Amino acid sequence: MAVTKIRKVSSSTLLALSVISVIIFAVFFFGGAEVDAKGNKDYAYTGLLLFWTYALFLVTFAATAIFAVINFASNKKGLVSSLAGFGAFVALLVITYAIGDGTPIAGLNEASQTYNTSGWLKVTDMWLYSIYVLFIVTLGAAIWGSVSKALKR
């Protein structure tokens, strides 16, 4: 019974966040844009899209931390694996932030200058590099799972 409730909550949460993300994505692209003097598009809802992305990241980070603590509390033997997973996630973010480029981008419109600072640019690179790494790890895990399952037969 508990597994069924967990699946329902998990599925509902995924569906709700996906629907909100699609709506925000549509608002960003279709909610209006102006062309500045340099010919660049200035989307009206760039801030909304960025802050939604930040909110999703913070929820992911908090959930990772909370579930690591819960796993530790319920399974003392799993301390190393719980902390290793959380530590790997934090290390990934620190490393990708460190390798991010903070050089300001030339030729942006005035509205974009708010985010054209070294800190924001490094954070943006951190997100992108983290997405690339996590995608590769996920793809590798899927391939490894298929190969190991085939080899066990």
Side-chain angles (χ1 to χ4, degrees):
M1 174 113 174
V3 174
T4 305
K5 287 183 181 179
I6 291 170
R7 285 187 184 151
K8 285 181 181 179
V9 169
S10 176
S11 297
S12 300
T13 303
L14 176 64
L15 183 62
L17 292 176
S18 297
V19 167
I20 293 169
S21 295
V22 168
I23 290 170
I24 288 175
F25 185 76
V27 166
F28 172 74
F29 277 110
F30 304 116
E34 296 176 358
V35 178
D36 66 1
K38 296 180 184 177
N40 297 325
K41 272 192 173 180
D42 179 19
Y43 290 98
Y45 295 100
T46 303
L48 175 66
L49 181 66
L50 286 173
F51 288 119
W52 177 248
T53 306
Y54 300 149
L56 289 176
F57 170 75
L58 291 175
V59 167
T60 302
F61 189 80
T64 303
I66 290 167
F67 286 120
V69 169
I70 290 172
N71 190 26
F72 166 66
S74 65
N75 182 10
K76 303 282 186 201
K77 294 177 185 176
L79 171 65
V80 174
S81 63
S82 296
L83 293 178
F86 183 69
F89 182 66
V90 171
L92 173 68
L93 295 177
V94 169
I95 291 168
T96 54
Y97 181 84
I99 63 175
D101 185 16
T103 307
I105 302 169
L108 293 178
N109 58 19
E110 287 183 33
S112 299
Q113 292 303 322
T114 304
Y115 304 107
N116 197 21
T117 62
S118 178
W120 280 114
L121 293 171
K122 287 178 76 74
V123 167
T124 302
D125 284 350
M126 175 187 72
W127 302 92
L128 293 173
Y129 294 152
S130 297
I131 289 169
Y132 301 154
V133 169
L134 292 174
F135 176 75
I136 291 168
V137 167
T138 303
L139 191 62
I143 292 170
W144 176 257
S146 299
V147 169
S148 65
K149 187 176 180 181
L151 292 176
K152 286 182 182 179
R153 289 183 184 182

